[in-house]
CSV table of all heavy atoms in Angstrom, one decimal:
chain,number,residue,atom,x,y,z
A,1,THR,N,0.1,-5.9,-4.7
A,1,THR,CA,1.3,-6.1,-3.6
A,1,THR,C,0.7,-7.3,-2.7
A,1,THR,O,-0.4,-7.4,-2.6
A,1,THR,CB,1.5,-4.9,-2.9
A,1,THR,OG1,2.3,-5.3,-1.7
A,1,THR,CG2,0.3,-4.3,-2.3
A,2,ASN,N,1.7,-8.0,-2.1
A,2,ASN,CA,1.2,-9.0,-1.1
A,2,ASN,C,1.0,-8.4,0.3
A,2,ASN,O,0.7,-9.1,1.1
A,2,ASN,CB,2.4,-10.1,-1.1
A,2,ASN,CG,3.7,-9.6,-0.7
A,2,ASN,OD1,3.9,-8.7,0.0
A,2,ASN,ND2,4.8,-10.1,-1.3
A,3,GLY,N,1.3,-7.1,0.4
A,3,GLY,CA,0.9,-6.4,1.6
A,3,GLY,C,1.8,-6.6,2.8
A,3,GLY,O,1.5,-6.3,3.9
A,4,SER,N,3.0,-7.1,2.6
A,4,SER,CA,3.9,-7.5,3.7
A,4,SER,C,4.9,-6.4,4.0
A,4,SER,O,5.5,-6.4,5.0
A,4,SER,CB,4.8,-8.7,3.2
A,4,SER,OG,5.7,-8.4,2.1
A,5,ILE,N,5.1,-5.4,3.1
A,5,ILE,CA,6.1,-4.4,3.2
A,5,ILE,C,5.3,-3.1,3.6
A,5,ILE,O,4.5,-2.7,3.0
A,5,ILE,CB,6.9,-4.3,2.0
A,5,ILE,CG1,7.8,-5.5,1.8
A,5,ILE,CG2,7.9,-3.1,2.2
A,5,ILE,CD1,8.6,-5.5,0.5
A,6,MET,N,5.8,-2.5,4.7
A,6,MET,CA,5.2,-1.2,5.3
A,6,MET,C,6.3,-0.4,5.6
A,6,MET,O,6.6,-0.1,6.9
A,6,MET,CB,4.2,-1.5,6.3
A,6,MET,CG,3.4,-0.3,6.7
A,6,MET,SD,2.5,0.5,5.4
A,6,MET,CE,1.3,-0.8,5.0
A,7,ASN,N,7.0,0.2,4.7
A,7,ASN,CA,8.1,1.1,5.0
A,7,ASN,C,7.7,2.6,4.9
A,7,ASN,O,6.4,2.9,4.7
A,7,ASN,CB,9.4,0.9,4.1
A,7,ASN,CG,8.9,1.0,2.6
A,7,ASN,OD1,8.1,1.7,2.2
A,7,ASN,ND2,9.7,0.2,1.8
A,8,GLY,N,8.6,3.5,5.0
A,8,GLY,CA,8.2,5.0,5.0
A,8,GLY,C,7.6,5.4,3.7
A,8,GLY,O,6.7,6.1,3.8
A,9,ALA,N,8.2,4.8,2.7
A,9,ALA,CA,7.6,5.1,1.4
A,9,ALA,C,6.1,4.8,1.2
A,9,ALA,O,5.2,5.5,0.6
A,9,ALA,CB,8.4,4.6,0.2
A,10,VAL,N,5.9,3.6,1.6
A,10,VAL,CA,4.5,3.0,1.5
A,10,VAL,C,3.5,3.8,2.3
A,10,VAL,O,2.3,4.1,2.0
A,10,VAL,CB,4.4,1.5,1.9
A,10,VAL,CG1,3.0,0.9,1.8
A,10,VAL,CG2,5.4,0.7,1.0
A,11,LYS,N,4.0,4.2,3.6
A,11,LYS,CA,3.2,4.9,4.4
A,11,LYS,C,2.8,6.3,3.8
A,11,LYS,O,1.7,6.9,4.0
A,11,LYS,CB,3.8,5.0,5.8
A,11,LYS,CG,4.0,3.8,6.5
A,11,LYS,CD,4.7,4.0,8.0
A,11,LYS,CE,4.6,2.7,8.7
A,11,LYS,NZ,5.3,3.0,10.1
A,12,ARG,N,3.8,6.9,3.2
A,12,ARG,CA,3.6,8.2,2.5
A,12,ARG,C,2.5,8.1,1.4
A,12,ARG,O,1.7,8.9,1.2
A,12,ARG,CB,4.9,8.8,2.0
A,12,ARG,CG,5.7,9.3,3.1
A,12,ARG,CD,6.9,10.1,2.6
A,12,ARG,NE,7.9,9.3,1.8
A,12,ARG,CZ,8.8,8.6,2.4
A,12,ARG,NH1,9.1,8.6,3.7
A,12,ARG,NH2,9.7,7.9,1.6
A,13,LEU,N,2.7,7.0,0.7
A,13,LEU,CA,1.8,6.7,-0.5
A,13,LEU,C,0.3,6.4,0.0
A,13,LEU,O,-0.6,6.8,-0.6
A,13,LEU,CB,2.2,5.4,-1.3
A,13,LEU,CG,3.4,5.6,-2.2
A,13,LEU,CD1,4.0,4.3,-2.5
A,13,LEU,CD2,3.0,6.3,-3.4
A,14,ALA,N,0.2,5.9,1.2
A,14,ALA,CA,-1.1,5.6,1.8
A,14,ALA,C,-1.9,6.8,2.1
A,14,ALA,O,-3.1,6.9,2.3
A,14,ALA,CB,-0.9,4.8,3.1
A,15,GLN,N,-1.3,8.0,2.2
A,15,GLN,CA,-1.9,9.3,2.5
A,15,GLN,C,-2.3,10.1,1.4
A,15,GLN,O,-2.9,11.0,1.4
A,15,GLN,CB,-1.0,10.1,3.4
A,15,GLN,CG,-0.7,9.3,4.7
A,15,GLN,CD,0.4,10.2,5.6
A,15,GLN,OE1,0.7,11.3,5.3
A,15,GLN,NE2,0.9,9.5,6.6
A,16,LYS,N,-1.9,9.5,0.1
A,16,LYS,CA,-2.2,10.3,-1.1
A,16,LYS,C,-3.6,9.7,-1.7
A,16,LYS,O,-3.8,8.6,-1.8
A,16,LYS,CB,-1.1,9.9,-2.1
A,16,LYS,CG,0.2,10.6,-1.8
A,16,LYS,CD,1.3,10.3,-2.8
A,16,LYS,CE,2.6,11.0,-2.4
A,16,LYS,NZ,2.6,12.4,-2.3
A,17,GLU,N,-4.3,10.6,-2.2
A,17,GLU,CA,-5.6,10.3,-2.8
A,17,GLU,C,-5.6,9.5,-4.1
A,17,GLU,O,-6.6,8.8,-4.4
A,17,GLU,CB,-6.5,11.5,-2.9
A,17,GLU,CG,-6.9,12.2,-1.5
A,17,GLU,CD,-7.8,13.5,-1.8
A,17,GLU,OE1,-8.0,13.7,-2.9
A,17,GLU,OE2,-8.2,14.0,-0.8
A,18,ASN,N,-4.6,9.7,-4.8
A,18,ASN,CA,-4.4,9.1,-6.1
A,18,ASN,C,-3.9,7.7,-6.2
A,18,ASN,O,-3.6,7.1,-7.2
A,18,ASN,CB,-3.7,10.0,-7.2
A,18,ASN,CG,-2.1,10.0,-6.6
A,18,ASN,OD1,-1.8,9.8,-5.4
A,18,ASN,ND2,-1.2,10.3,-7.6
A,19,THR,N,-3.7,7.1,-5.0
A,19,THR,CA,-3.0,5.8,-4.8
A,19,THR,C,-4.1,4.7,-4.5
A,19,THR,O,-4.8,4.8,-3.5
A,19,THR,CB,-1.9,5.9,-3.8
A,19,THR,OG1,-1.0,7.0,-4.2
A,19,THR,CG2,-1.2,4.6,-3.7
A,20,ARG,N,-3.8,3.5,-5.0
A,20,ARG,CA,-4.6,2.3,-4.6
A,20,ARG,C,-3.8,1.2,-4.4
A,20,ARG,O,-2.8,0.9,-5.1
A,20,ARG,CB,-5.7,2.1,-5.7
A,20,ARG,CG,-6.5,0.7,-5.5
A,20,ARG,CD,-7.3,0.4,-6.7
A,20,ARG,NE,-7.9,-1.0,-6.6
A,20,ARG,CZ,-9.2,-1.2,-6.2
A,20,ARG,NH1,-9.9,-0.1,-5.9
A,20,ARG,NH2,-9.6,-2.4,-6.2
A,21,PHE,N,-4.0,0.4,-3.3
A,21,PHE,CA,-3.4,-0.8,-3.1
A,21,PHE,C,-4.3,-2.0,-3.1
A,21,PHE,O,-5.3,-2.1,-2.6
A,21,PHE,CB,-2.8,-0.9,-1.6
A,21,PHE,CG,-1.9,0.3,-1.3
A,21,PHE,CD1,-2.4,1.6,-0.8
A,21,PHE,CD2,-0.5,0.3,-1.4
A,21,PHE,CE1,-1.7,2.6,-0.5
A,21,PHE,CE2,0.3,1.3,-1.0
A,21,PHE,CZ,-0.3,2.5,-0.6
A,22,THR,N,-4.0,-3.0,-4.1
A,22,THR,CA,-4.7,-4.2,-4.2
A,22,THR,C,-3.9,-5.4,-3.6
A,22,THR,O,-2.7,-5.5,-4.0
A,22,THR,CB,-5.1,-4.6,-5.7
A,22,THR,OG1,-5.8,-3.5,-6.3
A,22,THR,CG2,-5.6,-5.9,-5.8
A,23,ILE,N,-4.2,-5.8,-2.5
A,23,ILE,CA,-3.7,-6.8,-1.6
A,23,ILE,C,-4.0,-8.2,-2.3
A,23,ILE,O,-5.0,-8.6,-2.1
A,23,ILE,CB,-4.0,-6.7,-0.1
A,23,ILE,CG1,-3.9,-5.3,0.3
A,23,ILE,CG2,-3.0,-7.6,0.6
A,23,ILE,CD1,-2.5,-4.6,0.2
A,24,SER,N,-3.0,-8.9,-2.7
A,24,SER,CA,-3.1,-10.3,-3.1
A,24,SER,C,-3.1,-11.1,-1.7
A,24,SER,O,-2.1,-11.4,-1.1
A,24,SER,CB,-1.9,-10.8,-4.0
A,24,SER,OG,-1.9,-9.9,-5.1
A,25,LEU,N,-4.4,-11.5,-1.4
A,25,LEU,CA,-4.6,-12.2,-0.1
A,25,LEU,C,-4.8,-13.6,-0.1
A,25,LEU,O,-4.1,-14.5,0.6
A,25,LEU,CB,-5.8,-11.4,0.6
A,25,LEU,CG,-5.8,-11.6,2.1
A,25,LEU,CD1,-4.6,-11.2,2.9
A,25,LEU,CD2,-7.0,-10.8,2.5
A,26,ASP,N,-5.7,-14.0,-0.9
A,26,ASP,CA,-6.0,-15.6,-1.1
A,26,ASP,C,-6.6,-16.3,0.0
A,26,ASP,O,-7.1,-17.4,-0.2
A,26,ASP,CB,-4.6,-16.3,-1.6
A,26,ASP,CG,-4.1,-15.9,-2.8
A,26,ASP,OD1,-4.8,-15.0,-3.5
A,26,ASP,OD2,-3.1,-16.2,-3.3
A,27,SER,N,-6.5,-15.8,1.3
A,27,SER,CA,-7.1,-16.4,2.4
A,27,SER,C,-7.2,-15.5,3.6
A,27,SER,O,-6.1,-14.7,3.7
A,27,SER,CB,-6.4,-17.6,2.7
A,27,SER,OG,-7.0,-18.2,3.9
């Protein structure tokens, strides 16, 4: 993900142990 969207669904996912976010950052 580009890490730009932080809605309720993303926040719930962030609390789950089985979830990983790879942020495409580039700088």
